[in-house]
Amino acid sequence: MLEDTLSRLEAAKLRWMTGGEADVRSDPFASGAQGVEAQLRLLAQAALFRQTCLRPSAPSKLTMVEPLPAPPLPLLSTHLRPAFRHIMQQQDRSIWQGLTGLMAARGVMAHPFDWLPPQDTNGYADIYIPYAKWKAGLDNHEMELTAETWQDMYPAERRNAFADLRAKDTTAARAMIEAYGSTLSADERLGLIDCLAQGLGADDIPYLTEVSTKDRSAKVKARAAGFLARLGVASDRDEAKELAAFMEKSTKGIIRRRKEIALRRKLNGAQQNRVSALLDTVTFTQLAAALDITPDALADSYVTEKNTTALQFWGLCARTAPRDALLIYWARLRSDGVANFSRLAGITDQLSRDQIMAEAQGLVMSADLTDLRDMLAVTGPDVGRDMSDALLNSPFYRAQLDALKTALAKRATGDGDYRHDPMVAQFGGFVTQLAFLVTAEHARRVASDLQKRGLHAADPILHPLNFNIALQGKTP
Amino acid sequence: MSLGTSSIENAAPDQASLKAASKLVSPAKWPERFISGDGGLIFGACQGSGANPYRVVVDLSDLGAKCSCPSRKFPCKHALALMLQYSGGPADFVQADVPAWVADWLGRRRKTTTVAPSSGEKKSIAAAQMIEPEAPVDPKVAARNAAAAAKRAAATRAAITDGLAEMEAWIADQLRAGLSELLADLTGRCRRIASRLVDAKAGTLAGRIDGIPARVLALPQRDRPDVLISELGKLVIIARDWGNGTSPTPVVRRVIMGAEKREVLLENNDALRHSGLWEVLVSRDETRRDGLIARSTWLLGLDDSSPRFAVLQDFFPATMGKQGAAFTAGQQFKAELIFYPAPTPLRAQIVERRVVDEHHPWPITPQNRDILRGFTEALIHEPWITELPIFLPSGRLGKKEDAHYWTGTDATLPLVSGGISDSVMGAELRQSVVLWNGSVADLLASDTNFGRYYSDA
């Protein structure tokens, strides 16, 4: 019966699609009508037949994705999810990393319906690796790093497992990267080579020598050369001599005479380019030898400046200087007021957590904190009570509050829209990063400070601070 | 922060706005009245003439205001009413966190003076609040008005009857010329017959016809003929129910001419009233070809063992720009709803609403093997309906090529693919609500092993 009706309506559909006249008087749905009337009655019945008598058929071989992994931490509470989504609308990786980092520090994670991590989880808390793997369609059961599992692991997972292996067994880790490292991308190779800093020793020299000469990536070669330099292995002395030739020694100071080494002032463009290239390849020890002084003496006498070449020299120092020389030069940068979090970030792998936090606390009181992303990269989010105190007592923060007050005063006098003031826009970015760093109690203090300067209690600049305040969990 | 009546009088655009605002100063119309922690902002929701309440915020520092109503006056009567209430009783305002929609407004707003330009008209709250005696109605004038109204109604009936006859002839022409030709020029042809129906005073039906291209062309090619036949066949059914317009069912009258006004509905003793706990599933805006935006807020009743749904529907001109939604997905409240009379009552208005503090779970509903049975039964009584919310039992989402499906133990439904997030594909859906239109389901919300999922969150 149903099949008969369906076949009659299918025939009618075919007619209607192609058009033309048809006699449907005999169709039971036409109820004896003729012509147009019969067609309309049949159409009305057809309209309902499919929706009342038929059911959708299931397609063959429906693909089901793997169930979402169980969250390693409790999910963000429902009432905070809209605020989380609002902040994450900003397409800024540093904001995503800061916010998810703050949440992880407070013991919660983003709801997967609101946000999934990008494929490259570098910079995100490890709790998101299972979700990145799930999104990439990869198997999510826990694996130990072995020759068999090497290729199956997700990059961030492989890096973590490799770091663990290196901490437990330096030889096994080196053997692993020696055998399979070349199959990875340059960025991932660089990440794994960095892990060799843990337990770096003479046994690593043959492997590092090979990488420093044969690797496809200049960055990886330079990193391996840096480790070799730390191990006291000299390589091409001619390049060091060439770089030393661009430098000049002088004696500065009237009462307290001291030696100073700096690049010659009058270098042409080609010479500056060459210096730049050499600073990326020469090691600190080689340069000291070429200048006929000790590494410590070089660290004690090289100029401290803020320009690009000075930054490159710091890069050379951070990569290749012996630890004592490195700390001497860092102390000089600090005392000369040119140290900042960007530079500190280059040596964190050679400092303990306590040393990093001590250095950071010193920097907070003296450095330009306009871009707190560098600080976030060094200290991580939720820095604790002492560091939060330091941040809120820093001259930079107080100066920012004064500048904000001035900008908001313009609004009160009707002198334009304060949100278009470049200072306020920049201040918004500063407050966002600050909100990822400080404790909930300090976030409340910042919000109060801003309102006292005239910012509206519901101003969007305060969103990240309010989120911090509302986050439940442990506060260091 | 105090607020004096003279400030409100200065802010009001005219005396008429003050008069209208003074009629809204009733707690029953304001289920939500809040003040920010610093006392600088008052905000709330006013149950106006629309189905969805209007969201209103006033910055007390300068009386800058924002309301989601379509009024072109600034500040509108709702904002003035909020000011009047605060002025009369600030203690009635409950301290609350500033919600996202207020913060968004603050982030966008330009600082302007709210003092209305002087028109020379004297504005007075005291005068606005005076109750004017109703003028006695002259029986002769009343009789003349009634006769004129009856004449107008008869003319409208005749125009609609003619318009529907023209529509049927148009459908017959399409069948004769071939629906494949109609599909090739669906938007243009639907627009032309819709214009004719607007002229025939069947504006709501015209809007439905204008929506056919969007409903048909969004589907895969293979499904379009069946859905087009269904759309046209239902138009024939509507026309037949109307007949000569003397006794159409109220539902068909609504489908053709639009819904009765809120006041008329509230006076209808036959209209179903239901008090209970409701959850907002989704609020959808659809821009129509007639220049209106149709806003539909779908609600799920949480009290009953069998699922009860309601939809709050409003229309406002697209030229008004984007109006903030009245509710957020997942919001729960207690309310008495009054439903427009229909065999399957769905469209409703809020009579009274109260805020709830706790979040309540979805009802556990009995599992029916035929999940589309409710839709079939509704079609039997209202064959013109185009979509109906359906409660689905436990299931998962799956994919075949680019198409998404909901699949449960006994059934599989094709889904509208747009907007389905990757993550919900990996969740176990304990219960779901979809809008089923006879061929494809639109996932509105799900209760999952990861908590609640809302399609527009």
Side-chain angles (χ1 to χ4, degrees):
Chain A
M1 174 74 180
L2 199 65
E3 283 77 13
D4 288 348
T5 310
L6 184 60
S7 101
R8 277 192 292 115
L9 291 177
E10 282 296 314
K13 180 169 87 176
L14 204 60
R15 270 199 317 275
W16 290 331
M17 289 307 292
T18 53
E21 302 285 353
D23 186 358
V24 292
R25 267 181 306 178
S26 57
D27 194 296
F29 283 160
S31 314
Q34 295 185 14
V36 169
E37 178 61 22
Q39 293 281 5
L40 293 178
R41 287 187 187 187
L42 189 55
L43 183 72
Q45 296 291 345
L48 300 180
F49 176 77
R50 200 167 271 279
Q51 295 188 350
T52 51
C53 299
L54 302 183
R55 293 290 178 263
S57 54
S60 58
K61 288 186 183 170
L62 204 56
T63 309
M64 312 295 285
V65 298
E66 284 293 310
L68 276 167
L73 287 179
L75 296 174
L76 184 65
S77 58
T78 306
H79 76 282
L80 282 177
R81 286 176 54 193
F84 171 81
R85 289 193 295 265
H86 192 268
I87 299 171
M88 296 294 268
Q89 273 174 3
Q90 298 175 68
Q91 298 295 314
D92 182 334
R93 194 178 166 96
S94 73
I95 290 179
W96 293 1
Q97 289 174 345
L99 186 62
T100 53
L102 173 68
M103 286 160 53
R106 299 274 172 88
V108 293
M109 66 185 295
H111 198 294
F113 291 168
D114 297 332
W115 182 78
L116 286 173
Q119 191 179 0
D120 175 10
T121 54
N122 201 13
Y124 293 95
D126 289 345
I127 47 171
Y128 290 105
I129 292 176
Y131 286 92
K133 284 181 73 179
W134 177 85
K135 196 173 157 190
L138 299 177
D139 200 350
N140 232 325
H141 67 268
E142 277 193 23
M143 288 184 276
E144 201 168 319
L145 186 63
T146 63
E148 288 73 36
T149 60
W150 176 270
Q151 281 297 346
D152 298 335
M153 281 189 161
Y154 199 69
E157 191 181 25
R158 185 161 41 225
R159 190 182 60 239
N160 290 345
F162 184 77
D164 289 346
L165 181 64
R166 179 73 181 178
K168 279 188 276 185
D169 185 345
T170 53
T171 309
R174 192 181 56 251
M176 191 74 79
I177 193 174
E178 225 170 333
Y180 306 108
S182 60
T183 59
L184 306 176
S185 69
D187 280 341
E188 209 187 332
R189 285 203 305 282
L190 194 65
L192 296 191
I193 297 261
D194 277 344
C195 296
L196 296 183
Q198 169 91 35
L200 188 68
D203 292 349
D204 297 317
I205 291 175
Y207 171 66
L208 290 171
T209 306
E210 182 166 331
V211 173
S212 71
T213 52
K214 293 184 181 166
D215 197 276
R216 303 185 297 275
S217 157
K219 280 189 294 187
V220 177
K221 275 183 180 171
R223 193 62 52 89
F227 280 137
L228 284 171
R230 281 198 212 167
L231 291 166
V233 178
S235 54
D236 191 347
R237 293 176 60 89
D238 288 344
E239 286 193 336
K241 281 181 182 165
E242 190 186 352
L243 179 59
F246 286 115
M247 295 177 173
E248 57 188 9
K249 294 178 188 172
S250 60
T251 308
K252 291 279 168 76
I254 298 168
I255 299 168
R256 194 176 162 206
R257 308 282 288 168
R258 62 187 303 272
K259 284 186 177 152
E260 186 177 279
I261 298 175
L263 283 174
R264 282 191 276 121
R265 291 288 161 196
K266 292 181 180 173
L267 295 180
N268 62 32
Q271 288 171 323
Q272 279 174 349
N273 288 343
R274 183 59 187 154
V275 165
S276 180
L278 291 169
L279 284 169
D280 280 345
T281 53
V282 167
T283 68
F284 195 87
T285 313
Q286 288 167 355
L287 180 61
L291 289 164
D292 207 16
I293 54 176
T294 63
D296 286 1
L298 175 58
D300 194 42
S301 52
Y302 193 84
V303 289
T304 55
E305 293 173 328
K306 284 185 174 175
N307 56 36
T308 314
T309 317
L311 269 179
Q312 272 194 297
F313 181 80
W314 171 246
L316 177 154
C317 192
R319 278 194 318 275
T320 65
R323 188 180 156 82
D324 289 348
L326 177 69
L327 294 179
I328 290 170
Y329 193 58
W330 171 251
R332 287 188 55 227
L333 291 177
R334 285 270 314 277
S335 65
D336 292 353
V338 287
N340 57 27
F341 280 101
S342 166
R343 293 186 178 198
L344 180 57
I347 58 168
T348 48
D349 63 337
Q350 299 187 51
L351 303 176
S352 68
R353 177 72 184 164
D354 287 347
Q355 285 173 315
I356 292 171
M357 295 306 275
E359 293 296 338
Q361 199 149 351
L363 280 183
V364 161
M365 298 309 288
S366 59
D368 178 347
L369 302 176
T370 308
D371 194 346
L372 282 176
R373 282 179 296 189
D374 292 329
M375 179 174 174
L376 202 55
V378 169
T379 62
D382 214 7
V383 289
R385 198 173 299 278
D386 292 346
M387 186 74 82
S388 298
D389 274 338
L391 270 168
L392 269 57
N393 290 326
S394 68
F396 183 84
Y397 175 71
R398 310 312 300 182
Q400 289 285 298
L401 289 182
D402 292 342
L404 177 73
K405 191 175 177 182
T406 310
L408 294 178
K410 283 186 190 174
R411 177 199 191 194
T413 57
D415 186 13
D417 190 328
Y418 78 102
R419 282 172 291 124
H420 298 152
D421 187 311
M423 187 272 148
V424 176
Q426 185 193 335
F427 188 74
F430 170 77
V431 171
T432 299
Q433 299 294 337
L434 189 63
F436 303 149
L437 284 163
V438 297
T439 68
E441 177 197 330
H442 290 80
R444 197 172 282 114
R445 270 172 53 189
V446 175
S448 165
D449 284 345
L450 302 188
Q451 287 170 55
K452 280 180 196 159
R453 294 328 186 264
L455 203 66
H456 202 291
D459 194 288
I461 286 179
L462 299 177
H463 281 358
L465 289 168
N466 291 332
F467 186 84
N468 179 324
I469 294 164
L471 256 188
Q472 297 297 311
K474 69 183 176 75
T475 300
Chain B
M1 205 175 281
S2 63
L3 180 58
T5 51
S6 61
S7 307
I8 303 173
E9 285 168 347
N10 285 338
D14 49 37
Q15 179 64 21
S17 297
L18 276 179
K19 180 92 186 160
S22 66
K23 290 179 184 165
L24 291 172
V25 184
S26 145
K29 288 186 184 293
W30 292 85
E32 296 169 9
R33 283 180 299 174
F34 300 113
I35 184 163
S36 60
D38 67 338
L41 290 168
I42 49 174
F43 48 95
C46 175
Q47 193 59 54
S49 52
N52 290 281
Y54 300 127
R55 279 178 164 176
V56 196
V57 55
V58 175
D59 185 342
L60 292 173
S61 66
D62 58 1
L63 296 192
K66 168 75 181 169
C67 178
S68 60
C69 79
S71 170
R72 289 178 190 279
K73 288 190 177 177
F74 183 77
C76 69
K77 60 183 179 181
H78 307 104
L80 290 170
L82 191 65
M83 293 179 205
L84 285 170
Q85 289 179 92
Y86 182 71
S87 165
D92 296 335
F93 285 66
V94 180
Q95 191 169 315
D97 289 339
V98 172
W101 62 270
V102 172
D104 282 349
W105 170 68
L106 277 172
R108 285 197 309 273
R109 83 174 280 226
R110 290 191 64 83
K111 201 75 185 173
T112 52
T113 171
T114 320
V115 177
S118 174
S119 60
E121 180 190 14
K122 187 166 164 38
K123 294 172 285 184
S124 157
I125 292 173
Q129 288 172 338
M130 275 171 52
I131 299 165
E132 290 169 8
E134 283 187 28
V137 182
D138 181 347
K140 283 183 187 168
V141 174
R144 242 193 341 263
N145 287 347
K151 197 173 167 187
R152 278 198 306 275
T156 302
R157 237 183 356 254
I160 291 175
T161 306
D162 291 348
L164 294 181
E166 193 177 339
M167 181 187 75
E168 281 198 0
W170 176 81
I171 293 171
D173 287 345
Q174 306 312 311
L175 295 180
R176 202 175 303 114
L179 295 184
S180 45
E181 272 193 28
L182 174 60
L183 276 171
D185 181 27
L186 190 58
T187 307
R189 290 193 188 185
C190 286
R191 183 80 280 267
R192 284 193 285 278
I193 188 65
S195 305
R196 301 290 300 144
L197 286 169
V198 170
D199 294 343
K201 304 188 192 311
T204 305
L205 185 62
R208 176 179 171 135
I209 293 175
D210 265 333
I212 290 176
R215 292 194 289 276
V216 172
L217 299 178
L219 298 169
Q221 291 270 8
R222 62 172 188 280
D223 295 336
R224 291 177 186 175
D226 286 325
V227 176
L228 182 59
I229 286 169
S230 171
E231 291 279 355
L232 296 178
K234 288 179 181 180
L235 292 179
V236 173
I237 296 170
I238 291 167
R240 296 303 160 96
D241 187 279
W242 174 268
N244 61 9
T246 49
S247 57
T249 56
V251 185
V252 161
R253 195 182 165 78
R254 223 171 278 136
V255 167
I256 294 173
M257 301 172 68
E260 50 271 45
K261 285 186 176 169
R262 176 181 168 86
E263 300 75 40
V264 176
L265 177 66
L266 290 173
E267 285 170 8
N268 187 343
N269 293 328
D270 294 333
L272 169 72
R273 286 173 181 250
H274 184 85
S275 294
L277 189 63
W278 300 90
E279 178 171 313
V280 178
L281 297 176
V282 70
S283 189
R284 293 266 169 88
D285 284 356
E286 181 198 349
T287 306
R288 305 190 332 169
R289 291 192 63 85
D290 57 7
L292 291 178
I293 290 177
R295 168 166 296 165
S296 305
T297 303
W298 289 94
L299 306 177
L300 168 67
L302 302 181
D303 297 313
D304 306 305
S305 56
S306 60
R308 182 187 289 274
F309 296 99
V311 60
L312 308 175
Q313 212 159 34
D314 281 315
F315 302 88
F316 53 87
T319 50
M320 294 300 301
K322 188 172 164 55
Q323 302 293 306
F327 298 107
T328 45
Q331 188 177 344
Q332 296 185 346
F333 54 81
K334 278 200 163 155
E336 182 189 4
L337 298 191
I338 181 166
F339 289 81
Y340 289 87
T344 311
L346 197 59
R347 189 171 171 186
Q349 291 264 354
I350 295 175
V351 179
E352 195 178 358
R353 181 165 71 95
R354 276 185 291 130
V355 177
V356 290
D357 295 330
E358 287 175 28
H359 203 74
H360 298 262
W362 279 10
I364 305 295
T365 58
Q367 311 271 305
N368 193 332
R369 284 183 69 89
D370 182 6
I371 54 176
L372 296 178
R373 194 168 142 197
F375 185 72
T376 303
E377 285 171 356
L379 270 183
I380 291 167
H381 297 107
E382 293 182 74
W384 40 78
I385 58 170
T386 53
E387 60 185 11
L388 198 73
I390 292 175
F391 216 82
L392 299 180
S394 65
R396 288 280 313 271
L397 299 186
K399 256 182 117 171
K400 184 170 187 195
E401 292 155 9
D402 288 337
H404 290 79
Y405 293 84
W406 172 90
T407 183
T409 314
D410 298 313
T412 297
L413 296 181
L415 291 174
V416 176
S417 288
I420 292 179
S421 72
D422 287 344
S423 45
V424 76
M425 298 285 296
E428 175 197 321
L429 312 181
R430 292 170 182 147
Q431 298 185 104
S432 301
V433 178
V434 295
L435 262 187
W436 176 248
N437 68 5
S439 56
V440 68
D442 188 355
L443 181 65
L444 302 185
S446 286
D447 188 26
T448 79
N449 57 332
F450 278 78
R452 218 60 66 73
Y453 167 80
Y454 300 99
S455 63
D456 69 345

